[in-house]
Amino acid sequence: FAAVNLIMPFPMMLGAFGFMIGTGGSALVSITLGEGKKKEANEFFSMLIYVTIATGIVLTVLGIIFTRPIAVFFGAEGEILEYCVQYGRLLLLGLSAFMLQNVFQSFLVTAEKPTFGLIITLIAGVTNIALDYVFIKILDGGVVGAALATTISQVVGGIVPLVYFMLPNKSPLKLVKTKLNLRALGKTCFNGSSELMVNLSISLVNMLYNFQLLRFAGEDGVAAYGVIMYV
């Protein structure tokens, strides 16, 4: 549990780019829809979803490479280091889906489907809880089971809305063929930069806090802090 909480802020930092695209992109798409440019709005929306997936893949590869150095840098060693690496790398396999989940939470509001967004969040959360019990308690999967449960819940949270927008639906948004629009992407990143920095800051503070807890209170201190944060 200490290892999970020690490495967790790292994939959360990478996933924060989804909040940036979701927040900044939903503002841009909403304005475009308000101007009556539905075709252009869907092209912007689709481009941002595709960019999110591509960015997630790149960050997944980089994250997997640097998981061990990051864990070592923040004081993990011995058994806890190996647990950090196992958990972190498995969690990063679902990074694109996690970023999509963050993106869609904003876009589902723009698509006039906020209740659907809430339902997806609840389903993903319940999936995580249920699979934690199955993988850890019943199958004795340990930290690997915990990582798989979280990753699968993220896939549920990201892929279900993706399929919804791929299929014909009653919302003003749907996935269409599009091309890279650097100007629109730049506006999105600028509009969502504050959300990105907030989430990066939270994860960084958690990382530094865990680092100090590991120094002064050991693994038990990190685990205790994790319990408080979960509550």
Side-chain angles (χ1 to χ4, degrees), residues 14-197:
L14 300 181
F17 287 91
F19 286 111
M20 176 185 71
I21 295 174
T23 304
S26 60
L28 176 64
V29 172
S30 294
I31 291 172
T32 308
L33 282 174
E35 294 173 345
K37 303 174 183 176
K38 186 174 181 179
K39 181 176 180 295
E40 189 175 1
N42 278 302
E43 289 175 351
F44 288 160
F45 166 68
S46 301
M47 176 198 69
L48 294 173
I49 297 304
Y50 302 147
V51 166
T52 299
I53 296 172
T55 303
I57 293 172
V58 173
L59 291 179
T60 294
V61 174
L62 294 175
I64 288 174
I65 293 172
F66 288 104
T67 298
R68 184 177 290 273
I70 290 290
V72 171
F73 179 75
F74 280 98
E77 57 185 17
E79 189 177 26
I80 195 172
L81 172 60
E82 297 309 314
Y83 283 145
C84 281
V85 173
Q86 288 178 30
Y87 185 84
R89 286 178 173 171
L90 282 172
L91 208 63
L92 286 168
L93 293 177
L95 182 61
S96 286
F98 177 56
M99 290 175 63
L100 283 175
Q101 183 178 358
N102 296 336
V103 168
F104 283 130
Q105 286 308 306
S106 295
F107 276 122
L108 282 168
V109 175
T110 304
E112 302 171 2
K113 298 292 180 181
T115 304
F116 182 47
L118 174 61
I119 292 172
I120 293 300
T121 301
L122 292 174
I123 291 175
V126 170
T127 299
N128 197 351
I129 294 169
L131 292 181
D132 270 337
Y133 182 80
V134 172
F135 291 153
I136 300 172
K137 178 68 175 179
I138 299 177
L139 300 179
D140 195 25
V143 71
V144 172
L148 289 174
T150 302
T151 300
I152 292 171
S153 72
Q154 291 173 348
V155 170
V156 170
I159 300 303
V160 171
L162 179 66
V163 172
Y164 172 79
F165 285 114
M166 288 175 63
L167 299 175
N169 62 78
K170 296 180 180 180
S171 80
L173 297 180
K174 61 180 179 179
L175 289 171
V176 298
K177 290 183 178 180
T178 186
K179 58 183 179 181
L180 183 63
N181 186 320
L182 294 178
R183 184 177 180 182
L185 183 59
K187 285 184 178 180
T188 295
C189 294
F190 181 77
N191 290 338
S193 59
S194 59
E195 191 73 18
L196 171 67
M197 295 311 298

